[in-house]
């Protein structure tokens, strides 16, 4: 086994939480490796960000690139590989990747985030990227001059409406809820689009069926809207929240909460010694998932990992 | 009473926590007023900062100016006045300032931070700024070519040593502890200065007396060092931690912990409805006081204040 595969800290996930953890671990002079199968997480596709304190406006991808450069300048390594297993055969952690490589570390931080929730309808997977989408920022521009439906009653669907309104001809916002709950700054923007007739809101209804063969053709609603349950749209954007990516942690024996998020103390310590978690994968700040909170949690997790490392030293000595 | 003195949210303190709270409250379209008697808090005098995720390096003052501009661009007002009282004569909060003005708000966020701890010796106050200092970044440059003593065994005293080494001829680091505990990156830097003979570390000892009339002349140690308890220095820098600035909250009836910090949930909610806290004034992340954690807590506190405001509406209607 090569020395080069032994680290003080392995961070699983390269979004704001993981990169911030790497920045702090770098300052603590820990030999740190970050794995990210999707660099920067969802932030990279968030478009312009106006609520990261310190930047009046910054592009999400640029912000993540800055964090990456900062982490690397402090000595952290970032690998574009997917972790497929985290085990603990002894006091040292064993991390295996999709490429078939094995790495060892004294401490592990899970910063694996969450992924878009699906409707769970037949045809949904088959038509994904063929009319069915989960990221308005990424795929919205394709629908210039077209009609689309946006599913969801929260902030991300409203932001999706505002964004796609720059391209699309007509947008239907569909939610099971009685009212839309979004950040006022976004809601106000959408209301102007409603007044202008570009956006129509369909409350207390839902997509019951996704229809199409090669490409999405239309959706069927559970209840009639304007006299019909058929809604012909070119694109369907699903923005209904996220589920935690906590399988690796669960398989390792880390305690999750009832919704599948990794249970942590405010110091980002899990039930398992040497295992820490940060960012959207934790329930610390409830449903409030922001770059600034993820970055703070990453910094705290790295600090706790460093305390652990100082007490125990290199637990992978036998692996070298 | 003027309408102009009625706000949805008043933030007491204009450091990273307070300004971040104002940024988020601005996005929530809350009418927000921030009070700061020392704009930007200690960050403004921190010098170059390398651990704020998103900036490889940024001057502390510049970072706070960016946050201020961002908060103002989102509609928050920032006043350079000191809050002297926060009361709750009815469901609406009454905030009074040193200038004699009164303001009303539905919700209050305390982001009052902490202040430098003193040794508590006779002469200490009389000689403050006359040889006795609490901020190496601010006052270090005065001691070009001189001899100084730095008190404290933690990261801030070590950073103080490294910084003043750029100017001073000789630096003594004095701590009651058996060893220095600083960030490795800072400790390594100091060790090079020790090897070079520029810095001497005096462990398990302390300043027993501060001697001087118009200006500091020397300090007396509790135990001899190099055969003498007398240590002739031109400057004495005291970097021994901080005490919470929680008097206003305490007088209002907000629950503090045993060390005087404001007790909060992870959503930054205090025991008193409508009162939230963020940053160094809270014990959420233990002694880990960073701009990134303060900013995250500010964002969370504003979000909780907004939830409160949505439920209760404007509780200062009678004040208008």
């Amino acid at each position: 086994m090569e020395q080069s595969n032994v680290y003080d800290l392995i961070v699983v996930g390269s979004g704001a939480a993981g990169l911030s953890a790497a920045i702090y671990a770098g300052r603590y002079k820990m030999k740190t490796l970050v794995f990210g199968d999707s660099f920067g997480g969802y932030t990279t596709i968030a478009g312009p960000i106006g609520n990261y304190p310190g930047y009046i406006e910054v592009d999400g991808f640029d912000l993540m690139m800055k964090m990456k450069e900062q982490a690397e300048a402090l000595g952290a390594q970032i690998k574009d590989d997917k972790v497929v297993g985290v085990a603990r055969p002894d006091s040292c952690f064993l991390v295996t990747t999709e490429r078939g490589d094995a790495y060892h570390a004294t401490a592990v931080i899970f910063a694996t985030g969450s992924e878009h929730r699906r409707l769970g309808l037949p045809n949904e997977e088959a038509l994904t990227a063929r009319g069915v989408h989960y990221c308005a920022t990424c795929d919205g521009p394709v629908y210039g001059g077209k009609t689309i439906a946006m599913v969801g009653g929260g902030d991300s669907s409203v932001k999706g409406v505002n964004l796609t309104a720059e391209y699309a001809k007509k947008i239907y916002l569909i939610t099971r809820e009685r009212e839309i709950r979004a950040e006022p700054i976004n809601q106000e923007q959408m209301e102007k689009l409603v007044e202008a007739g570009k956006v129509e809101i369909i409350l207390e209804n839902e997509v019951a069926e996704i229809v199409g063969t090669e490409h999405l053709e239309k959706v069927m609603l559970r209840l009639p809207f304007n006299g019909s349950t058929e809604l012909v749209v070119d694109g369907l954007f699903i923005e209904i929240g996220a589920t935690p990516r906590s399988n690796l942690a669960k398989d390792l024996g880390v305690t999750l909460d009832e919704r599948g998020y990794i249970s942590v103390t405010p110091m980002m310590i899990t039930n398992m010694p040497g295992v820490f978690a940060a960012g959207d994968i934790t329930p610390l700040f409830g449903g409030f998932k922001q770059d600034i909170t993820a970055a703070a949690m990453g910094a705290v997790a790295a600090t706790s990992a460093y305390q652990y490392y100082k007490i125990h030293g290199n637990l992978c000595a036998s692996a070298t």
Side-chain angles (χ1 to χ4, degrees), chain A residues 30 40 72 88 99 106 118 129 136 166 173 204 224 234 239 242 244 257 263 268-270 283 288 310 312:
Chain A
M30 296 176 84
E72 287 175 336
R88 193 175 207 174
R99 290 197 196 142
T106 296
R118 291 165 177 268
E166 289 176 32
L173 177 64
E204 296 183 87
D234 303 295
E239 298 272 6
D257 73 4
S263 298
M268 313 315 290
I269 296 168
T270 73
F288 187 63
K310 274 204 301 187
H312 297 283

Side-chain angles (χ1 to χ4, degrees), chain A residues 229-274:
Chain A
T229 57
E230 185 184 272
L231 192 67
V232 177
V233 292
D234 303 295
L236 174 68
F237 286 81
I238 297 160
E239 298 272 6
I240 54 169
T243 49
R245 296 176 66 193
S246 51
N247 281 344
L248 290 172
K250 187 184 176 189
D251 292 346
L252 180 62
V254 174
T255 299
L256 310 181
D257 73 4
E258 69 283 358
R259 294 182 308 143
Y261 290 86
I262 298 177
S263 298
V264 286
T265 69
M267 292 309 290
M268 313 315 290
I269 296 168
T270 73
N271 67 306
M272 185 176 286

Side-chain angles (χ1 to χ4, degrees), chain A residues 96-276:
Chain A
T96 48
T97 73
E98 204 165 53
R99 290 197 196 142
D101 296 324
Y103 301 85
H104 300 81
T106 296
V108 169
I109 294 175
F110 286 104
T112 37
S114 53
E115 62 192 17
H116 297 306
R117 187 172 286 152
R118 291 165 177 268
L119 289 176
L121 292 173
N123 258 345
E124 184 176 1
E125 202 168 339
L127 294 178
T128 291
R130 295 172 168 201
V132 176
H133 305 275
Y134 299 86
C135 173
T137 319
C138 327
D139 304 319
V142 189
Y143 291 89
K146 307 277 187 179
T147 297
I148 65 174
M150 185 80 54
V151 178
D155 199 54
S156 49
S157 63
V158 170
K159 280 199 289 195
V161 166
N162 293 337
L163 191 95
T164 49
E166 289 176 32
Y167 321 101
K169 185 178 70 184
K170 175 87 182 184
I171 304 160
Y172 297 98
L173 177 64
I174 304 165
T175 176
R176 291 193 295 199
E177 308 297 328
R178 283 191 185 183
E179 58 173 6
I180 303 294
R181 280 175 297 185
E183 267 198 54
I185 196 168
N186 298 324
Q187 194 138 352
E188 280 180 19
Q189 197 183 335
M190 184 176 71
E191 276 157 19
K192 284 178 196 148
L193 295 165
V194 172
E195 282 162 29
K198 184 154 194 168
V199 173
E200 276 191 81
I201 299 175
I202 307 176
L203 297 173
E204 296 183 87
N205 204 334
E206 63 186 313
V207 173
E209 203 181 328
I210 295 172
V211 183
T213 49
E214 287 297 302
H215 192 276
L216 176 74
E217 289 159 22
K218 63 183 177 184
V219 299
M220 303 304 291
L221 299 173
R222 188 171 55 82
L223 299 168
F225 170 71
N226 286 347
S228 169
T229 57
E230 185 184 272
L231 192 67
V232 177
V233 292
D234 303 295
L236 174 68
F237 286 81
I238 297 160
E239 298 272 6
I240 54 169
T243 49
R245 296 176 66 193
S246 51
N247 281 344
L248 290 172
K250 187 184 176 189
D251 292 346
L252 180 62
V254 174
T255 299
L256 310 181
D257 73 4
E258 69 283 358
R259 294 182 308 143
Y261 290 86
I262 298 177
S263 298
V264 286
T265 69
M267 292 309 290
M268 313 315 290
I269 296 168
T270 73
N271 67 306
M272 185 176 286
V275 178
F276 309 88

Side-chain angles (χ1 to χ4, degrees), chain A residues 70-91:
Chain A
Q70 194 175 359
E72 287 175 336
L74 287 161
Q77 289 174 53
I78 298 168
K79 271 192 206 290
D80 182 23
D81 194 358
K82 185 179 181 171
V83 173
V84 294
V86 180
R88 193 175 207 174
D90 47 44
S91 57

